[in-house]
Amino acid sequence: MTLRRLVHCALALTVAFAGLAALYLNLGAEFAGLAQLLVYVGAIAILIVFAILLTPTPAGKSGLPATRSAETELDKVFSPAGVAGGVLALAVFAVLAWAVMTSGVARVTAAGSGPAPASSMRAIGFALMERYVLPLEVIALMLTAAMIGAVILALRDRRVVPAETAAGRSPELRG
Amino acid sequence: MTPLAGCLLVSALLFSIGLAGALTRRNAILVLAGIELMLNAANLNFIAFWRFGPHPDHPIMPTPGMLGAPAPEELTGLMFVIFSIAVAAAEAAVGLALILAIYRHTRTSDVSEITEMKG
């Protein structure tokens, strides 16, 4: 999160998602781990890399950001607002860690000793098709709506820009 | 430290890193990445409590005759994580499309420079 270049941030984020997927697999949740691997490492990382590719910073028009822009970005991180955000995040972590360590979770030893709950693909399929069929339909509808919405959002300006270029030059190109 | 506490600490650390990223970075894409990290921290909490929490319907020793579908109450945490991953995917797609639309409009992805709605 504090790396200078955006692509390095995206790669670190991908590594973090992959590590989280490994943690899921280690905890016995195979389906969630594989879904995490497919969705986050496979799809969201690609989406973020493409978004970075399609939104170059003004100082980095040549593809590589200049060192000056990186320095100003780092100065922005260490600006008073950035320091305040970091301190706030540290405070949140301190409160959460204190809550975890002082709750009964850190002392109960019998909780983690049992076997992993049964989570075979067959059981997940039965549960999805029987008990959770309504959430499944709702999530399918929501994914469809989100996909259509994303396509419309991404297409709307593209329909405007060719009209401008057909009328002459777009203002960005002229300026 | 029990494994559950370890998972919860990792989740808290992930949430804090995501929060710091969402609060301090100016690039809209990285703000969205921080939000994704926070969502993942919540998912890790679900998985950890599902794995180590009590399951009232879970048989202590599954007999070989019980190989059918187990009680679906056991899978609640896992199902929540799966649906949460689907919601996060939709959110990331719509968020990145919004960032692209804003970038085409204002030629910047710096969230502190997008001040058109400032009164």
Side-chain angles (χ1 to χ4, degrees):
Chain A
M1 271 299 160
T2 58
L3 298 177
R4 291 187 182 183
R5 289 194 185 172
L6 280 176
V7 181
H8 292 179
C9 289
L11 289 181
L13 191 74
T14 310
V15 170
F17 286 156
L20 209 54
L23 194 54
Y24 288 170
L25 291 177
N26 197 13
L27 284 174
E30 286 90 5
F31 190 77
L34 292 178
Q36 166 96 4
L37 205 63
L38 278 178
V39 171
Y40 278 99
V41 181
I44 289 185
I46 302 291
L47 267 180
I48 287 178
V49 168
F50 265 96
I52 291 172
L53 176 74
L54 290 177
T55 61
T57 53
K61 282 268 171 55
S62 62
L64 292 176
T67 55
R68 169 169 295 192
S69 75
E71 282 174 6
T72 54
E73 176 74 16
L74 210 61
D75 287 342
K76 280 179 187 172
V77 170
F78 288 113
S79 65
V83 170
V87 167
L88 185 63
L90 270 182
V92 167
F93 175 67
V95 169
L96 283 177
W98 172 78
V100 167
M101 296 312 279
T102 56
S103 67
V105 163
R107 288 190 297 273
V108 173
T109 56
S113 60
S119 70
S120 63
M121 297 288 174
R122 175 188 164 99
I124 289 173
F126 271 116
L128 270 180
M129 281 299 127
E130 285 170 358
R131 186 171 180 200
Y132 298 98
V133 67
L134 184 63
L136 186 71
E137 298 291 334
V138 169
I139 214 87
L141 190 64
M142 194 209 65
L143 275 178
T144 310
M147 193 175 64
I148 294 172
V151 168
I152 287 175
L153 275 176
L155 272 185
R156 194 178 53 199
D157 278 356
R158 194 177 296 161
R159 210 182 304 145
V160 173
V161 170
E164 285 176 353
T165 52
R169 286 297 186 93
S170 69
E172 294 87 17
L173 289 180
R174 197 183 303 153
Chain B
M1 186 192 300
T2 60
L4 177 56
C7 282
L8 293 187
L9 280 182
V10 170
S11 167
L13 184 64
L14 212 56
F15 186 87
S16 304
I17 292 173
L19 185 65
L23 285 181
T24 60
R25 295 311 293 260
R26 304 291 176 87
N27 197 306
I29 298 170
L30 284 178
V31 173
L32 199 70
I35 293 172
E36 292 290 328
L37 271 182
M38 288 193 274
L39 266 168
N40 268 299
N43 283 349
L44 181 58
N45 262 358
F46 277 123
I47 289 282
F49 279 114
W50 166 79
R51 169 68 177 81
F52 298 112
H55 291 281
D57 298 330
H58 186 247
I60 301 300
M61 288 292 289
T63 59
M66 297 179 59
L67 281 182
E73 286 81 7
E74 294 177 9
L75 295 172
T76 306
L78 196 57
M79 286 299 152
F80 215 112
V81 167
I82 291 166
F83 289 132
S84 169
I85 286 176
V87 171
E91 175 246 338
V94 174
L96 287 174
L98 272 174
I99 289 173
L100 279 185
I102 291 173
Y103 178 79
R104 288 208 192 100
H105 192 65
T106 65
R107 291 283 141 193
T108 181
S109 62
D110 194 336
V111 291
S112 60
E113 290 180 9
I114 303 168
T115 56
E116 276 129 20
M117 289 181 71
K118 200 172 181 179

